[in-house]
């Protein structure tokens, strides 16, 4: 994904479809990147291993192999665990290396006998937090595969074409073999 395709994909553009460069630079491009550059992480891998024990994965790949629902649930499932380096653990990803970066939005959760419970509210209500996560995973799905909607629509037409084509091919075959005994 490049900065310009991202801007066009999520419509950070003016009425004429031109990319709003200022908005992109102020909010998303922090290191003098060009709009045509690929969006890459700025975290050095060696440092990441020192800080988190492992390198943060490419989320566009994660959303593809785990699915949006899993990532949504994962971001709902952090809970307090003082035995872990960042003080949090995750119900669907035991002993996760990632700090819970959305804690100020969701608040703090504890694992109780009946499940996860918010013990300290965050800036968002549970409903608002859920809506934010829905947007977040929808965005990641888009970033992972911007042409998905187009591909799915086109797929239907391709199958329809093959279906119709098969009928004609079959009729043609009958015609050819008619006189061959
Ligand atoms: C909203 C922002 C973020 C989202 C949506 C997110 C999401 C995820 C997801 C879904 C995984 C699981 C990947 C897998 O299946 O292997 C993961 C792992 C990880 N994330 Fe994040 N992450 C975010 C921010 C961050 C930040 C800011 C850091 C570091 C400062 C970070 C560090 C890590 C690390 C180190 C792992 C690997 C954990 C392990 O394998 O134990 N993440 N993240």
């Amino acid at each position: 994904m490049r900065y310009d395709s991202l801007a066009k994909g999520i419509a950070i553009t003016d009425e004429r479809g031109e990319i709003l460069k200022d908005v992109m630079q102020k909010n998303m491009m922090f290191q003098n990147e060009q709009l045509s550059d690929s969006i890459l992480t700025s975290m050095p891998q060696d440092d990441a291993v020192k800080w988190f024990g492992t390198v943060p994965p490419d989320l566009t790949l994660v959303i593809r192999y785990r699915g949006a629902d899993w990532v949504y649930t994962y971001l709902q499932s952090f809970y307090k665990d003082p035995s872990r380096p960042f003080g949090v653990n995750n119900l669907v990803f035991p002993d996760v290396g990632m700090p819970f970066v959305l804690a100020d939005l969701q608040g703090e959760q504890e694992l109780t006998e009946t499940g996860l419970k918010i013990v300290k509210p965050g800036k968002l209500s549970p409903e608002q937090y859920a809506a934010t996560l829905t947007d977040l995973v929808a965005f990641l799905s888009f970033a992972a595969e911007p042409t998905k909607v187009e591909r799915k629509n086109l797929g239907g037409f391709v199958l329809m074409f093959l279906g119709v084509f098969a009928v004609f091919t079959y009729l043609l075959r009958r015609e050819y073999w008619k006189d061959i005994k």
Side-chain angles (χ1 to χ4, degrees), residues 108-121:
E108 276 178 21
Q109 288 197 123
E110 257 171 27
L111 187 59
T112 67
E113 271 164 24
T114 50
L116 293 168
K117 216 169 117 200
I118 294 194
V119 288
K120 192 173 143 210

Side-chain angles (χ1 to χ4, degrees), residues 43 52 54-57 59 62 65-66 70-71 74-75 93 95-99 101-102 136 140:
M43 194 187 297
F52 309 112
T54 177
V55 179
L59 291 183
V62 173
Y65 77 77
R66 299 250 207 204
W70 185 90
V71 174
Y74 165 79
L75 294 168
F93 195 141
D95 293 347
V96 70
M98 171 172 150
V101 295
L102 302 176
L136 195 149
L140 285 177

Side-chain angles (χ1 to χ4, degrees), residues 78-90:
F78 279 88
Y79 64 91
K80 258 173 46 178
D81 180 353
S83 73
R84 299 292 306 154
F86 290 104
V88 283
N89 211 327
N90 192 293

Side-chain angles (χ1 to χ4, degrees), residues 3-179:
Y3 289 99
D4 50 6
S5 359
L6 174 67
K8 285 198 182 129
I10 59 176
I12 305 184
T13 49
D14 61 18
E15 317 79 61
R16 286 172 299 143
E18 300 285 335
I19 293 168
L20 297 171
K21 208 172 163 194
D22 304 350
V23 178
M24 287 300 290
Q25 275 172 338
K26 197 165 150 240
N27 297 288
M28 289 182 210
M29 301 158 68
F30 306 113
Q31 304 188 84
N32 279 324
E33 296 97 336
Q34 301 297 309
L35 276 174
S36 56
D37 285 348
S38 293
I39 304 174
L40 300 173
T41 174
S42 55
M43 194 187 297
Q45 297 211 347
D46 294 350
D47 287 338
V49 173
K50 269 186 234 147
W51 298 333
F52 309 112
T54 177
V55 179
D58 177 343
L59 291 183
T60 61
L61 298 179
V62 173
I63 204 105
R64 279 180 171 209
Y65 77 77
R66 299 250 207 204
D69 290 351
W70 185 90
V71 174
Y72 174 95
T73 307
Y74 165 79
L75 294 168
Q76 288 278 18
S77 305
F78 279 88
Y79 64 91
K80 258 173 46 178
D81 180 353
S83 73
R84 299 292 306 154
F86 290 104
V88 283
N89 211 327
N90 192 293
L91 213 51
V92 298
F93 195 141
D95 293 347
V96 70
M98 171 172 150
F100 184 31
V101 295
L102 302 176
D104 67 322
L105 301 182
Q106 185 185 33
E108 276 178 21
Q109 288 197 123
E110 257 171 27
L111 187 59
T112 67
E113 271 164 24
T114 50
L116 293 168
K117 216 169 117 200
I118 294 194
V119 288
K120 192 173 143 210
K123 284 188 201 146
L124 302 181
S125 69
E127 294 75 26
Q128 287 170 325
Y129 182 68
T132 304
L133 289 190
T134 306
D135 286 348
L136 195 149
V137 296
F139 170 74
L140 285 177
S141 305
F142 154 75
E145 204 186 342
T147 55
K148 188 170 182 176
V149 177
E150 201 182 322
R151 171 168 68 73
K152 289 206 161 165
N153 289 339
L154 192 66
F157 287 113
V158 170
L159 289 179
M160 244 152 47
F161 170 78
L162 286 177
V164 173
F165 192 69
V167 172
F168 285 104
T169 320
Y170 173 70
L171 292 176
L172 191 65
R173 176 188 179 277
R174 259 207 345 208
E175 188 63 27
Y176 281 167
W177 284 85
K178 209 165 58 185
D179 306 321

